[in-house]
Amino acid sequence: MIEEYNPWWISRDKVKEIEIFRKFEESQLKWVPDVIQKLSLSPFSLNFVLGPRQVGKSTAMILLVKKLLDDNVDPKAIFYFSCDKIVDYKELDEILEDYLRIKKSNNITSSFLLLDEITYPKEWHRALKSRIDKGDFKNDVLVVTGSLSVSARREIETFPGRRGQGKNLIMYPLPFSKYVELFNVKLPRGDLNFVTSNFGRYSHLTQTLNELMERYLVTGGFPNAIREHSSYGRVSVTVDDFLSSVISDINKLRRSETFFKLTVKGLLERTSSELSYHSISKSFGVGTVKTAISYVELLDKMYLLKVLEQVDLEGT
């Protein structure tokens, strides 16, 4: 099974036949996520790449494979596996054992292991921790991707002293400053004084930037949404996929889908005004105040909102 995920073991060029890579190459609007440049690729490293659903983490992993191949890394020293079809840490451990045998038989001393969607198998961290403690990855680089489950369950915190030079990186949707560059609009950057001093020099771009901002707000900076909107002028399919993936994660975390939706409803209806946890609880039926707090915090951990506490300017 693992050979199917690693066609470059047969021929380097077969990475181009992977569906994720093919879609990336065929897209009119594409960019290389900067997370690839930020990863620690020196052994030993255990990197975690987190972020919301549909943000492009899997694409980033395949682009990393392409980069490593272009850097003349031995193809069999690059192991990629998507964990979304395995059940628990035992299956994950068997897959890791299979690759370690391949690695040994090919006299590979240092490798790159890319484990995508690590949140799917139950107790996945047990397999990694055990292997790290045995020294199986002492000369390797591991890159592990996940969405809310890793963050919400704080599973990363179960790896003290087992990270090496690894980093925690978060992939966010494409920011507007990068989005405009896809349309060949390049603006200098600076502090507030720079902006106020140079605004007039770029005022001719105001209409273009306003139009791009309207498109950006529709897509949210998510790769698939940007591409779908660019091709069809809408993002309906992408929105459906995103919502389905969020609900799937809520169920996986054994949280109430009803309370989750009521919390979101309350936040959306009161977006332009102050909102307390008490209001979410009583006005929108999200159980107790403690329950309301827990679901707002969950939304924050899912990168779906940012909580800003009210500030008392009078200091009372």
Side-chain angles (χ1 to χ4, degrees), residues 198-214:
N198 292 275
F199 175 78
R201 295 175 57 188
Y202 301 95
S203 59
H204 62 285
L205 293 175
T206 301
Q207 182 176 347
T208 299
L209 291 174
N210 285 338
E211 292 174 355
L212 290 175
M213 176 58 78
E214 290 182 6

Side-chain angles (χ1 to χ4, degrees), residues 43-261:
F44 163 70
S45 294
L46 171 57
N47 298 279
F48 285 100
V49 179
L50 311 177
R53 290 290 191 177
Q54 308 288 326
V55 81
K57 297 185 293 295
S58 296
T59 299
M61 293 302 97
I62 296 302
L63 292 178
L64 175 58
V65 170
K66 181 65 166 58
K67 176 184 182 298
L68 293 171
L69 290 170
D70 290 345
D71 291 341
N72 292 317
V73 173
D74 185 329
K76 288 194 175 180
I78 307 170
F79 173 61
Y80 170 85
F81 193 83
S82 180
C83 303
D84 56 353
K85 293 182 181 180
I86 57 179
V87 176
D88 56 24
Y89 73 95
K90 294 179 182 179
E91 285 192 48
L92 176 59
D93 191 62
E94 290 175 1
I95 288 166
L96 293 173
E97 179 66 27
D98 287 344
Y99 175 65
L100 290 173
R101 280 197 294 264
I102 292 172
K103 176 183 171 184
K104 184 176 181 180
S105 65
N106 285 273
N107 297 315
I108 295 170
T109 57
S110 180
S111 61
F112 298 86
L113 293 88
L114 316 181
L115 301 175
D116 202 9
E117 296 292 358
I118 196 68
T119 61
Y120 278 87
K122 295 179 181 178
E123 299 184 285
W124 59 269
H125 54 283
R126 294 181 61 178
L128 285 190
K129 287 170 65 176
S130 174
R131 293 285 177 181
I132 291 172
D133 289 345
K134 289 193 297 183
D136 288 343
F137 303 133
K138 62 183 178 181
N139 296 317
D140 300 326
V141 172
L142 287 84
V143 182
V144 175
T145 77
S147 54
L148 76 110
S149 298
V150 173
S151 176
R153 292 176 180 169
R154 301 187 183 279
E155 288 163 331
I156 291 178
E157 296 177 5
T158 66
F159 286 86
R162 300 178 176 92
R163 301 293 306 281
Q165 302 176 62
K167 300 178 180 179
N168 290 342
L169 300 172
I170 299 177
M171 276 188 70
Y172 291 108
L174 192 70
F176 182 68
S177 58
K178 294 289 186 180
Y179 177 79
V180 299
E181 293 180 3
L182 300 178
F183 300 90
N184 297 316
V185 177
K186 295 185 178 180
L187 296 172
R189 302 184 186 185
D191 58 18
L192 183 58
N193 289 332
F194 175 85
V195 173
T196 54
S197 301
N198 292 275
F199 175 78
R201 295 175 57 188
Y202 301 95
S203 59
H204 62 285
L205 293 175
T206 301
Q207 182 176 347
T208 299
L209 291 174
N210 285 338
E211 292 174 355
L212 290 175
M213 176 58 78
E214 290 182 6
R215 297 189 208 173
Y216 178 78
L217 292 176
V218 172
T219 65
F222 286 84
N224 289 339
I226 291 173
R227 290 162 188 148
E228 185 181 356
H229 189 272
S230 174
S231 300
Y232 307 108
R234 55 174 172 74
V235 293
S236 56
V237 175
T238 304
V239 169
D240 290 341
D241 290 344
F242 179 78
L243 293 176
S244 296
S245 64
V246 169
I247 295 302
S248 173
D249 278 332
I250 292 299
N251 293 327
K252 214 185 309 179
L253 288 170
R254 298 181 180 179
R255 304 297 290 272
S256 169
E257 184 179 332
T258 299
F259 280 168
F260 181 82
K261 290 180 177 179

